[in-house]
Amino acid sequence: MNSKLSLRVRNSGLLPLKFFKDVPDGNLFIAEAGRQVPFDIKRVYFINNLANQKAVRGHHAHRKLEQAIFCISGSFTLHLDDGRTKQRVLLNDPSCGIRLGPMLWHTMSSFSYDCVILVLASDYFEEADYIRSHAEFVAAVTAADGAAGR
Ligand code: TYD
């Protein structure tokens, strides 16, 4: 990840972790709720075995859920779309995650063979919180922006 990266999409941002470099005895990365991660954590999930380099995951937004996504091994590309602005981010640094706030369409692709993705989430799994149609997502963002006079 480019250390000068800034997130232009709404409801996102960089989440640098607390980090102790103990080389050659390993590195220690720490994420604490309310500190490095801007919400209380109710759920943790991780994705490995991304053997299919053509795999594309995600393709959805969440209505209310807050998540923090980390690439703790290898690399992948995160595609973000807030309904107005799109941004592509290479995740290849375990010490810095990305906030996936509400109403942020995201897909993940171009996984390295050793990629492991870690996600911290603010709530339990709830299918009703997902928007899985991009057209529905754009309509919802447009309606919310219109109501807010943006
Ligand atoms: P999904 O979030 O669509 O995966 P991705 O965004 O990584 O492509 O979830 C895939 C399936 O797993 C879907 O059927 C819902 C289920 N699932 C749970 O049951 N609990 C969870 O916490 C998550 C993240 C997914």
Side-chain angles (χ1 to χ4, degrees):
M1 198 185 303
N2 179 343
S3 58
K4 291 187 184 133
L5 177 77
S6 73
L7 273 293
R8 300 186 307 276
V9 288
R10 294 181 283 184
N11 301 338
S12 189
L14 296 177
L15 301 174
L17 294 183
K18 211 164 152 184
F19 171 38
F20 293 94
K21 202 169 183 176
D22 288 336
V23 173
D25 301 329
N27 296 322
L28 178 62
F29 303 93
I30 300 145
E32 297 165 301
R35 293 183 176 170
Q36 297 81 13
V37 176
F39 52 82
D40 284 340
I41 299 159
K42 269 200 181 169
R43 178 165 53 110
V44 174
Y45 60 92
F46 56 89
I47 303 167
N48 69 358
N49 236 345
L50 287 149
N52 175 11
Q53 293 184 341
K54 291 188 179 156
V56 182
R57 300 198 62 105
H59 277 302
H60 62 252
H62 289 280
R63 297 175 200 279
K64 294 195 174 145
L65 190 70
E66 284 279 355
Q67 298 191 101
I69 187 165
F70 298 87
C71 184
I72 60 169
S73 172
S75 64
F76 71 96
T77 302
L78 178 65
H79 306 257
L80 300 171
D81 171 4
D82 68 9
R84 275 196 202 164
T85 304
K86 293 184 181 168
Q87 190 167 4
R88 199 172 55 188
V89 183
L90 172 69
L91 271 81
N92 59 0
D93 176 358
S95 74
C96 192
I98 302 284
R99 175 185 169 217
L100 295 177
M103 301 306 286
L104 188 55
W105 188 266
H106 54 279
T107 58
M108 295 89 92
S109 69
S110 309
F111 305 102
S112 66
Y113 73 98
D114 55 348
C115 179
V116 180
I117 299 173
L118 174 71
V119 183
L120 312 177
S122 65
D123 212 341
Y124 301 122
F125 175 78
E126 176 66 74
E127 185 59 41
D129 188 65
Y130 280 69
I131 301 178
R132 293 192 184 272
S133 149
H134 191 260
E136 185 189 334
F137 165 71
V138 171
V141 170
T142 305
D145 283 353
R150 286 192 291 252

